[in-house]
Amino acid sequence: MKRLWLPGALVALIILAALAAPLFGLPDPVRQDIARRLSGPMPGAWLGRDEFGRDVLSRLIWGARTSLGVAFAAALVAGVAGILLGLIGGWSRGVVAFLSVRSMDVILCFPPVLLALLVVTLLGPGAATLILVLSVLYLPGFARVTYAEVRAVRGRDYVEATRALGASTWYMLLRTVLPNIAGPVLVQLSLTVAAAVVIESGLSFLGLGVVPPSPSWGLMIRGARATMEQAPLLLLWPCAALTLTILAMNLLCDALRDAVDPRTTEAAK
């Protein structure tokens, strides 16, 4: 449990900062002040101003709401759908099991970034489109991990004991099987959220994600790249936020995996 404290505190701090952005009294993240564009850190603009004179600290915190909101929403949708599909496919046999796996293989045939670019180009940029495309991209990962884990535990003694007691199929899946495969699913969740943050930032960097002037870490990197010679610090802040967020999420979910995985718990005893 001690391993949870540091990454857990970092993730909680990042999420709380994003959620509490309206309470900080920060300047409007889209308000421009061309007269002070590319100015360095100063009182009232502690991280400086960007190429349009907008407050960098304000855009960084408000951008976290966008980047993390899209990532968590996409991971949640993909996780719920993928886990249900994996549970059904892993528990069933024959045609149902075959279709649950092969339908995911169809999605995996497409390169993730190219598929995201295609869908966003057809539907237009925006947060809702990003959530949709990221959910589709990461659905196979959840489905395949859940499918494999269900296949591995479906014949265990505790599952057979629950079946012998007359429990329904969904009761066994949700109350017996799912808690015992939570570790790998949590790891998949951590990877999905971290990857979704990166993909969202990358698409926003390319102009196919969040629509300007809404704050986003990808849009901040895009703007800072064009002015990196005049104000190199503008590129540092969003890149540092992305790196810290991804590392913290991966460390947290690795620790959670070890904490909830029954096999790890038994080994520790």
Side-chain angles (χ1 to χ4, degrees):
M1 293 298 292
K2 293 181 178 179
R3 291 183 57 193
L4 290 173
W5 285 105
L6 179 58
L10 286 174
V11 172
L13 183 62
I14 294 169
I15 295 175
L16 287 175
L19 293 175
L23 306 177
F24 290 150
L26 298 169
D28 188 344
V30 301
R31 182 175 179 273
Q32 301 182 9
D33 188 354
I34 302 299
R36 291 188 288 179
R37 65 184 298 270
L38 300 181
S39 60
M42 64 178 66
W46 300 106
L47 298 184
R49 296 181 179 274
D50 66 6
E51 70 277 13
F52 294 108
R54 298 171 296 194
D55 183 73
V56 173
L57 178 60
S58 179
R59 290 186 64 78
L60 196 67
I61 295 178
W62 280 95
R65 291 171 64 93
T66 302
S67 297
L68 295 179
V70 169
F72 275 106
L76 181 62
V77 173
V80 171
I83 289 171
L84 288 176
L85 187 60
L87 287 173
I88 294 172
W91 190 261
S92 305
R93 300 180 186 274
V95 177
V96 175
F98 177 82
L99 291 178
S100 65
V101 175
R102 296 303 170 230
S103 60
M104 297 298 98
D105 291 344
V106 172
I107 300 177
L108 291 174
C109 290
F110 297 93
V113 176
L114 293 181
L115 179 60
L117 287 172
L118 175 63
V119 175
V120 172
T121 302
L122 293 176
L123 299 181
T129 304
L130 283 178
I131 293 173
L132 172 62
V133 68
L134 292 177
S135 299
V136 174
L137 285 177
Y138 297 117
L139 173 62
F142 283 101
R144 291 169 70 90
V145 167
T146 306
Y147 176 90
E149 292 297 319
V150 172
R151 285 287 182 180
V153 305
R154 58 175 296 168
R156 299 287 178 86
D157 292 340
Y158 56 85
V159 177
E160 294 299 329
T162 306
R163 192 202 306 270
L165 292 174
S168 65
T169 299
W170 280 107
Y171 181 90
M172 288 189 291
L173 288 176
L174 299 179
R175 298 296 299 274
T176 304
V177 175
L178 186 58
N180 285 278
I181 64 173
V185 173
L186 284 175
V187 174
Q188 184 65 29
L189 178 65
S190 71
L191 296 174
T192 299
V193 173
V197 171
V198 174
I199 294 294
E200 182 277 328
S201 298
L203 291 175
S204 296
F205 176 82
L206 295 173
L208 297 173
V210 177
V211 179
S214 299
S216 166
W217 288 342
L219 288 176
M220 292 181 68
I221 295 174
R222 180 185 183 184
R225 178 177 176 272
T227 58
M228 58 186 298
E229 294 184 0
Q230 299 96 317
L233 282 179
L234 293 181
L235 192 59
L236 171 65
W237 306 126
C239 291
L242 271 173
T243 302
L244 177 63
T245 300
I246 293 168
L247 287 177
M249 287 180 178
N250 286 338
L251 289 174
L252 173 63
C253 287
D254 281 344
L256 283 173
R257 174 201 60 191
D258 296 337
V260 304
D261 193 334
R263 291 166 293 186
T264 305
T265 303
E266 290 297 327
K269 293 180 180 179

